[in-house]
Amino acid sequence: MRHEFQAILNLVKVLSRGEILKRNDTENYNKTLIDALSNRHNTKLPPEWNIPDLYARIQILAQTLASDRRVIWRDGRGRRRETGVKEYARTGALQYNMPSGLFWLYHAGDPQNPLGIYQHFLRRRLRWMNEILQYECPSFPDPSLFPDGSWTIKTFFVLRKPYISKDDTTFYLIDNPVKKEWVFKVPYVAPSQWKGALRSAMVRKLVERL
């Protein structure tokens, strides 16, 4: 367990303690740390915390689920504001027009990346995945490589309504994360779900005919 990066980068332990960013104003420390992990500001983190992989940062932010600490800061008029670290890691403080955390990563734009932070991350991962798959595998599998009776199908379709999925991870910032591929962490539908959906559609057609 010690080799897991979340065990080394223990966010719960360091929340409300100022040794990571070497700050004197610990009142604002939790907010600054979560903002830095979510790319909210150009706050420089120490090398061991400055993780370039965006999904790994989201996994670290998920540790706030186990913390009861508060995020405290002063607004532009000097008034004291606060919210829980879990809520701040999810959406920031939207009631005070201060988005951060997962909400910021999903929706905020980046001057260097017009697509947005998370969208740019997904585009790079999809490009990486396509390069690897096209190099390793043929564009269409050869049925002769599989047992007798195997067949392949290729079809294009458009969803009639939004698709809702559930990820297999048990530790995430929100309760209903979209299902992600294990290696590249891009949204996908599991092969078993496609097989079940196809079987269900075929059964319905048979029932209609009979």
Side-chain angles (χ1 to χ4, degrees), residues 122-173:
L122 289 179
R123 170 167 286 196
R124 286 190 289 107
R125 283 299 178 92
L126 286 170
R127 186 183 302 115
W128 179 28
M129 181 179 69
N130 289 332
E131 290 175 355
I132 294 176
L133 293 180
Q134 289 176 4
Y135 177 77
E136 295 288 345
C137 304
S139 58
F140 209 75
D142 184 0
S144 64
L145 300 176
F146 298 93
D148 292 339
S150 301
W151 49 276
T152 59
I153 183 173
K154 184 176 182 179
T155 182
F156 298 91
F157 59 91
V158 178
L159 295 177
R160 296 178 60 183
K161 58 183 180 179
Y163 173 75
I164 299 176
S165 67
K166 176 71 174 179
D167 202 3
D168 297 327
T169 182
T170 57
F171 197 60
Y172 203 79
L173 264 173

Side-chain angles (χ1 to χ4, degrees), residues 42-57:
N42 294 325
T43 305
K44 293 184 178 180
L45 292 167
E48 64 272 18
W49 283 82
N50 191 18
I51 302 174
D53 185 83
L54 192 60
Y55 188 79
R57 288 196 176 205

